Amino acid sequence: MLKLLDDDEPAIQEALREEFSDTSGDLSNELAALAIDLKPADQHRLSLLLLPGRRETLIQEWRIPQGGADALDEDWESFEDMLRLISDYLHDGVTLRPSLPDMLDIIAEDATAGRHHISENKLRVWMFESGRFAGNKDNYYTPANSDLCWCAETGLGNPISLALLYMLVARRLDLDVTGCNYPGHFLARIQLDSRPVLVDCFHKGRLISVEEILSENKNISIYAKQAILSQAPLGHILLRILRNLEHSFNKLKYPEDAKIFKMIFESMQPKP
């Protein structure tokens, strides 16, 4: 079937669509095992043919907690698994790459290599001040920014994906890094010299004093103030990612993908 990928005959393409739609949407392991090296154009065609399978896999494997997003609370295991499902969906299904948990393990191992002690601040410096991970300023709205595996591979991401990498790697190292659901620009939060400090992962991990923000911005909104003073619940972070993906796909004129993430977003709302 792979030899027919570049055959533009409508009947052939329709037959391929039907055949590949019955898969999970990811043939990367099979292609690697068979040592099949596809041309970039054929990779792109195959990825599009596998997309219906990835859509179905996402819908079938997504588990809605009883109580919606609020029920996630401190359930980091379920939270990370949902992020993995999103990454798998956004992947091309053709090229081989490690799973999200494995990628996070690798980053954590690299961060601690040759170190006897690592702190939240040292991890921040290693990840962001060093330039290992940086804001994707040239393609801010690409859905790939919500694929944490892609972010780990390329070192690029949007504010929330970079903060999530920081949080999830920190958790593997028994460090305390949480999220700040600041409107318009997601931030991370750490303690530095026993004081809460915000970390702008998108801008090289610059530090922002919570005290200075509150003292210098007298007209700050109640929502923004609440975000600064409190830890972002995992479920609320997930909802923000889902909403970002819906907007990104709408912006790119991919209504079917946008519809899926809108549906998942709405399914995660707490039931009355």
Side-chain angles (χ1 to χ4, degrees):
M1 287 191 297
L2 296 177
K3 294 180 180 179
L4 300 174
L5 286 173
D6 58 359
D7 190 325
D8 292 325
E9 176 65 34
I12 296 294
Q13 288 301 309
E14 180 59 31
L16 289 173
R17 272 192 292 272
E18 289 184 10
E19 191 69 30
F20 286 118
S21 66
D22 289 335
T23 71
S24 68
D26 189 329
L27 294 179
S28 57
N29 287 308
E30 289 83 350
L31 293 172
L34 294 171
I36 296 175
D37 187 19
L38 297 173
K39 296 180 293 186
D42 287 341
Q43 284 187 3
H44 179 67
R45 288 194 179 199
L46 179 56
S47 181
L48 292 178
L49 290 169
L50 291 169
L51 182 54
R54 290 199 298 282
R55 287 174 178 147
E56 186 63 25
T57 297
L58 175 64
I59 292 170
Q60 292 297 324
E61 294 190 3
W62 192 272
R63 295 292 178 263
I64 304 168
Q66 188 173 3
D70 288 344
L72 282 178
D73 196 19
E74 289 299 306
D75 187 353
W76 285 86
E77 184 176 346
S78 295
F79 178 65
E80 185 175 311
D81 194 53
M82 289 173 171
L83 296 175
R84 176 193 62 79
L85 287 172
I86 291 172
S87 286
D88 290 348
Y89 176 82
L90 295 173
H91 183 43
D92 60 15
V94 177
T95 54
L96 190 64
R97 70 180 187 183
S99 67
L100 177 58
D102 287 345
M103 283 192 164
L104 294 170
D105 289 344
I106 291 169
I107 297 172
E109 289 172 6
D110 288 346
T112 54
R115 292 174 180 265
H116 295 295
H117 172 73
I118 189 165
S119 64
E120 291 84 357
N121 193 44
K122 287 181 179 179
L123 180 61
R124 174 192 68 83
V125 171
W126 184 85
M127 290 184 70
F128 305 113
E129 279 195 12
S130 67
R132 285 181 176 84
F133 296 92
N136 190 1
K137 298 177 182 178
D138 293 333
N139 205 354
Y140 188 86
Y141 294 103
T142 176
N145 283 328
S146 296
D147 176 355
L148 293 190
C149 287
W150 182 86
C151 297
E153 279 186 322
T154 64
L156 297 173
N158 60 14
I160 193 167
S161 61
L162 293 174
L164 282 171
L165 285 179
Y166 186 28
M167 292 163 61
L168 292 166
V169 170
R171 184 166 177 79
R172 280 162 167 73
L173 301 175
D174 294 321
L175 301 176
D176 187 18
V177 179
T178 58
C180 170
N181 208 5
Y182 195 79
H185 196 85
F186 196 88
L187 302 164
R189 178 198 310 277
I190 63 173
Q191 291 284 327
L192 194 58
D193 298 327
S194 301
R195 293 185 176 182
V197 178
L198 302 179
V199 179
D200 185 352
C201 302
F202 191 79
H203 294 104
K204 300 199 72 172
R206 69 186 176 105
L207 297 173
I208 306 169
S209 167
V210 169
E211 294 175 357
E212 287 181 11
I213 291 181
L214 296 177
S215 62
E216 294 175 3
N217 296 275
K218 301 299 183 183
N219 296 322
I220 190 170
S221 70
I222 294 176
Y223 181 80
K225 185 176 181 179
Q226 182 182 10
I228 290 170
L229 293 174
S230 60
Q231 173 182 328
L234 297 182
H236 292 195
I237 299 174
L238 184 65
L239 289 175
R240 187 160 176 169
I241 294 167
L242 295 171
R243 185 61 89 194
N244 284 349
L245 281 166
E246 180 194 347
H247 289 166
S248 292
F249 280 121
N250 274 326
K251 191 177 183 69
L252 292 171
K253 304 285 194 284
Y254 294 146
E256 191 166 354
D257 300 276
K259 183 179 178 181
I260 286 175
F261 285 101
K262 180 181 180 181
M263 177 188 70
I264 294 175
F265 175 89
E266 291 175 347
S267 73
M268 295 294 291
Q269 296 300 312
K271 300 296 186 292

